[in-house]
Amino acid sequence: MKPRKHYVLLLCVLFCSGMAEALEPISTTIAVSMAAALTGILASYQNIFYYFHECCRQEWISFNKTGLQTDLDEKLFGQHIASRIVLKAVNGFMNNENPKKPLVLSLHGWTGTGKNFVSKLIAENVYKEGMHSSFVHLFTSTLHFPHPSQIATYKSQLQQWIKGNISNCERSLFIFDEMDKMHPGLIDSIKPYLDYYDKLDGVSYRKSIFIFLSNAGGESIVETALDFWRAGRDREEMELKDLETSLSLSVFNNNKSGFYRTSLIDKNLVDFFVPFLPLEYKHIIQCTKAEMKARGLEPDQNVANKVAKDLVYFPKFDRVFSVKGCKTIDSKLDYYA
């Protein structure tokens, strides 16, 4: 309730109860003063409440473009295409006061290339509480949707979860991990929420963000990266146009993926298919040093080399790309540090 309403309400109570007739003019003045003072206290309490308790307000949800750009530049390695797409997409969306639809990003690539990490960076630069925000919702296919026989139930629950959370805060973030392990057809249940509607049953979904994470399409990305390497071309020469078409087709036609023949792709509701390239030896070195720095240790080149050399690379004899990216750096560093 707004402060002015508190003031009006108190006066209404006084006058409607007949108390105002019994008050002298000076008493009425005192009552009005008390109402004004009470209004100030309530307003102050409300502001204090918003300060300590996360709410769907600008104090808690505010996009930090500089922060996201710095994080992508300094913490994400070997992903020039993904960094550029993510920064432009999120910045454009968050600065649009009247988007036509939710922002939908689909991140693809082999394990350890940075998909989950980028989702975390987005959350940290939009929400004050980052991944711990009550407005950030993470779904993992093998945990939340494990049984094929219960797809009908999952569809209903998923619709209710999304509608309920967006009703609570239109600036909600939904992250779907392991899309390559999701049962085909399940994700189609949220298609209406990603479409170009002003409102559905009185709820607007247009200011929310949906991020899908998947290993599906990774083979297509790796093949393109290998083609560039075999041709002696620098990986930084690769552009989205070199990967996007083959990536979307690969994902759409993968009958073991949650995106198999999905209406989300068929109706062009995915704004960007974001490819994450396989990582090279030099990127593993960067990941290792970054992890050492995060632990409060001085980055050590010798240790970083030992960790990087201990990983498996492919092609087998050329050892160009890390099979698991930077996935196992944390545990390897425990052994070598």
Side-chain angles (χ1 to χ4, degrees), residues 100-102 192 194-198 206 267-269 271:
K100 301 301 181 184
K101 63 180 290 296
L194 309 186
D195 216 328
Y196 293 83
Y197 296 114
D198 287 339
R206 294 179 300 161
K267 299 301 181 181
N268 298 308
L269 298 180
D271 297 299

Side-chain angles (χ1 to χ4, degrees), residues 3-16:
R4 184 174 179 81
K5 290 185 177 180
H6 289 297
Y7 171 73
V8 173
L9 178 61
L10 184 54
L11 288 182
C12 285
V13 171
L14 289 172
F15 281 93
C16 291

Side-chain angles (χ1 to χ4, degrees), residues 32 101 142 199 241 250:
V32 172
K101 63 180 290 296
T142 52
K199 288 186 178 181
K241 64 182 181 181
S250 173

Side-chain angles (χ1 to χ4, degrees), residues 16 19 25 41-42 69 120 133 159 199 261 269 291 331:
C16 291
M19 290 177 62
I41 293 172
L42 290 172
Q69 182 166 13
K120 176 174 174 286
S133 171
Q159 290 175 338
K199 288 186 178 181
R261 301 294 170 88
L269 298 180
E291 177 60 27
S331 58

